[in-house]
Amino acid sequence: SISIGILSAVVDNVPLVAATMGMYSSETYPMDSSLWQTIAYCAGVGGSVLSIGSASGVALMGLEKVEFLWYFRKASLAALVGFLGGFGVYV
């Protein structure tokens, strides 16, 4: 699940989660299981590690003219720590 979150920072999370859905049987892991909750958290929050990984990050870059490298230097570490901390609390 952590790898899905990190990958979500680069790849759009919708096709990423859709691809993940094909990897697990819905009989073994029903849609309300903790696996899917964890995947949803990781894909959604992990996208914020890089500004290009979330719609809000892209909007920030466009509307406020925030450059990718500025976000990477100033916010990515905090976003990563928050992502990992939230994952640790959930698990």
Side-chain angles (χ1 to χ4, degrees), residues 5-23:
I6 301 301
L7 191 58
S8 179
V10 180
V11 178
D12 184 30
N13 59 9
V14 173
L16 189 62
V17 171
T20 305
M21 290 174 75
M23 296 168 51

Side-chain angles (χ1 to χ4, degrees), residues 2-88:
I2 291 285
S3 59
I4 290 172
I6 301 301
L7 191 58
S8 179
V10 180
V11 178
D12 184 30
N13 59 9
V14 173
L16 189 62
V17 171
T20 305
M21 290 174 75
M23 296 168 51
Y24 299 100
S25 166
S26 61
E27 289 132 14
T28 307
Y29 299 102
M31 287 297 158
D32 62 346
S33 72
S34 61
L35 171 74
W36 294 112
Q37 293 171 7
T38 305
I39 289 173
Y41 170 81
C42 288
V45 178
S48 296
V49 173
L50 295 177
S51 60
I52 60 171
S54 66
S56 59
V58 173
L60 176 73
M61 290 173 57
L63 296 174
E64 298 298 324
K65 307 299 183 227
V66 172
E67 294 183 8
F68 174 79
L69 289 177
W70 182 93
Y71 185 93
F72 183 76
R73 287 192 308 266
K74 304 283 185 179
S76 287
L77 181 60
L80 179 62
V81 168
F83 165 65
L84 294 175
F87 181 80

